[in-house]
Amino acid sequence: NPHTIEYLGEYVDIPVSVYDLGDPTVIVTHDSSAIVNNVLGDYLVSYNATDKYGNVADTVYRTVVVADRTPPDIVLAWSDQNPYTVSQTTISDYVDLGYNLSDNYDNENDITVTYDKSGVIMSEIGTYTVSYYATDTSGNVSSTIYRTVVVADNAKPLITVSYTHLT
């Protein structure tokens, strides 16, 4: 006690035991109708028993917690662009292609995404990694995903002809 079920999950009762000195065939009844599996929270399941002599047991309760324990999903937007090649530039800020989110409970706007693009240096040719992970409002954290960024020299060489005036 308590027993936790996943948001939108099915509650399956966990067996309880009963002992009665004069009636070994006592049957326990339970009421789990208060559980709402699409609303996070705590709910009570009650258990009762009456023996063949009419003796009624004290009601006992089990707490059932409906919880979101599933982490959000995060995937790269434009996943076919991994690795993602960008032209070397003097602009210092890398502009990312983004990501897509989904979650069993939260809306996309309620999910916090942490990503690190700090290692991408747009002025230096090289291969860099951008990492992302998502956290929902229940504190569930996704797996970390990665995008490879290749800063490449895509510029054509520029030829300049100098004229020298000879006299």
Side-chain angles (χ1 to χ4, degrees), residues 162-166:
S162 303
Y163 290 99
T164 307
H165 185 268
L166 296 175

mmCIF file of all heavy atoms in Angstrom, residues 162-166:
data_model
loop_
_atom_site.group_PDB
_atom_site.id
_atom_site.type_symbol
_atom_site.label_atom_id
_atom_site.label_comp_id
_atom_site.label_asym_id
_atom_site.label_seq_id
_atom_site.Cartn_x
_atom_site.Cartn_y
_atom_site.Cartn_z
ATOM 1 N N SER A 162 44.809 41.539 -59.870
ATOM 2 C CA SER A 162 45.304 42.882 -59.564
ATOM 3 C C SER A 162 45.898 43.482 -60.829
ATOM 4 O O SER A 162 46.577 42.805 -61.610
ATOM 5 C CB SER A 162 46.393 42.845 -58.493
ATOM 6 O OG SER A 162 45.913 42.238 -57.339
ATOM 7 N N TYR A 163 45.667 44.730 -61.047
ATOM 8 C CA TYR A 163 46.248 45.430 -62.178
ATOM 9 C C TYR A 163 47.297 46.388 -61.637
ATOM 10 O O TYR A 163 47.023 47.173 -60.763
ATOM 11 C CB TYR A 163 45.184 46.199 -62.928
ATOM 12 C CG TYR A 163 44.230 45.287 -63.659
ATOM 13 C CD1 TYR A 163 42.992 44.978 -63.108
ATOM 14 C CD2 TYR A 163 44.590 44.732 -64.883
ATOM 15 C CE1 TYR A 163 42.126 44.136 -63.764
ATOM 16 C CE2 TYR A 163 43.720 43.883 -65.545
ATOM 17 C CZ TYR A 163 42.480 43.590 -64.981
ATOM 18 O OH TYR A 163 41.636 42.761 -65.629
ATOM 19 N N THR A 164 48.423 46.261 -62.215
ATOM 20 C CA THR A 164 49.489 47.184 -61.862
ATOM 21 C C THR A 164 49.768 48.019 -63.111
ATOM 22 O O THR A 164 49.954 47.488 -64.204
ATOM 23 C CB THR A 164 50.753 46.434 -61.456
ATOM 24 O OG1 THR A 164 50.415 45.495 -60.435
ATOM 25 C CG2 THR A 164 51.816 47.380 -60.976
ATOM 26 N N HIS A 165 49.730 49.291 -62.954
ATOM 27 C CA HIS A 165 49.965 50.188 -64.076
ATOM 28 C C HIS A 165 51.469 50.356 -64.254
ATOM 29 O O HIS A 165 52.164 50.801 -63.347
ATOM 30 C CB HIS A 165 49.306 51.549 -63.813
ATOM 31 C CG HIS A 165 49.418 52.444 -64.970
ATOM 32 N ND1 HIS A 165 50.447 53.330 -65.135
ATOM 33 C CD2 HIS A 165 48.628 52.571 -66.058
ATOM 34 C CE1 HIS A 165 50.271 53.972 -66.253
ATOM 35 N NE2 HIS A 165 49.169 53.550 -66.841
ATOM 36 N N LEU A 166 51.940 49.936 -65.395
ATOM 37 C CA LEU A 166 53.356 50.028 -65.670
ATOM 38 C C LEU A 166 53.609 51.310 -66.477
ATOM 39 O O LEU A 166 52.915 51.611 -67.431
ATOM 40 C CB LEU A 166 53.839 48.827 -66.471
ATOM 41 C CG LEU A 166 53.724 47.486 -65.746
ATOM 42 C CD1 LEU A 166 54.102 46.374 -66.678
ATOM 43 C CD2 LEU A 166 54.586 47.451 -64.518
#
